[in-house]
Amino acid sequence: MEKITEQAMSAAAVQQMNVWEQKYYDITELYALNEELMETVELAANPEAQLEIVAPLIETLGEATEVLTEEYVALCEGSSTRTAAKSKIEANLRKVYVAIHDYQKRVRETKNAAMMVVKKIKRQLEQVIANFVEFVTLSLDRVMQKQDIEELNAHHASIALMLHSVGQGQ
């Protein structure tokens, strides 16, 4: 009986590791999207102008993704405190959202080749946030603007429920 319990626990641990690994790849997908942003420069009629438009977002997204992946691994391993991780996660998500809004201000009057990639980045960030919510309670009002929170709630019911629960606790 004890051996069956050990096998079941081992299978559950392997399954949990597979889930964590997939969620890690959700975060690293931001690197691939950053590459797509860089491709818009290479394909642009005026690469210099396109680089000027997307460079701040590319740099911010790359740096933030590095920190987010490190914090996710630390949380999975239990080598980071939730409080320390929360502040780093929120700060880096905030940097990316600010960079996205700055990009949108720069291209407000024109259609830019990177717009579709930026939409993909925002959706991927929502998934990343959903993955981190399992470990830490994020203060999304510190990370993003109200419109972004509403979009997030519309796409991820679990996050909307978490925000409601946090609001009820206050």
Side-chain angles (χ1 to χ4, degrees):
M1 182 72 158
E2 193 173 304
K3 192 168 196 157
I4 293 172
T5 306
E6 283 181 32
Q7 289 175 341
M9 289 175 58
S10 177
V14 168
Q15 185 177 8
Q16 182 62 49
M17 291 297 289
N18 289 338
V19 168
W20 286 346
E21 183 177 357
Q22 180 54 50
K23 291 180 179 188
Y24 173 82
Y25 291 131
D26 287 342
I27 299 168
T28 60
E29 177 64 22
L30 293 171
Y31 285 125
L33 293 170
N34 216 17
E35 289 290 327
E36 281 189 47
L37 274 178
M38 287 186 240
E39 288 173 11
T40 67
V41 174
E42 296 167 7
L43 300 173
N46 185 345
E48 294 83 20
Q50 181 66 8
L51 180 61
E52 189 174 317
I53 291 169
V54 298
L57 180 55
I58 290 171
E59 183 178 331
T60 301
L61 184 59
E63 291 170 0
T65 302
E66 186 173 329
V67 173
L68 293 172
T69 55
E70 290 170 1
E71 288 305 312
Y72 188 78
V73 169
L75 285 167
C76 289
E77 293 174 343
S79 61
S80 177
T81 66
R82 293 182 193 275
T83 305
K86 176 183 175 173
S87 64
K88 287 181 183 178
I89 293 163
E90 286 178 351
N92 282 278
L93 288 170
R94 182 174 37 257
K95 288 177 188 176
V96 175
Y97 274 99
V98 167
I100 288 171
H101 285 283
D102 289 348
Y103 161 82
Q104 290 171 331
K105 286 178 189 174
R106 286 191 296 277
V107 299
R108 184 161 281 148
E109 302 299 319
T110 62
K111 184 168 175 75
N112 186 270
M115 284 182 179
M116 293 307 295
V117 180
V118 171
K119 285 183 182 182
K120 289 182 195 178
I121 291 168
K122 286 182 79 172
R123 294 300 159 255
Q124 195 63 32
L125 283 171
E126 291 175 0
Q127 186 59 50
V128 169
I129 290 168
N131 294 345
F132 274 116
V133 164
E134 292 182 24
F135 289 100
V136 294
T137 302
L138 299 173
S139 301
L140 296 181
D141 57 332
R142 294 182 191 166
V143 171
M144 59 184 76
Q145 295 177 359
K146 185 178 179 185
Q147 175 188 347
D148 295 318
I149 293 173
E150 289 171 0
E151 286 178 26
L152 182 72
N153 287 336
H155 296 122
H156 294 276
S158 61
I159 293 176
L161 182 61
M162 183 234 13
L163 290 174
H164 177 72
S165 298
V166 169
Q168 295 296 320
Q170 291 178 350

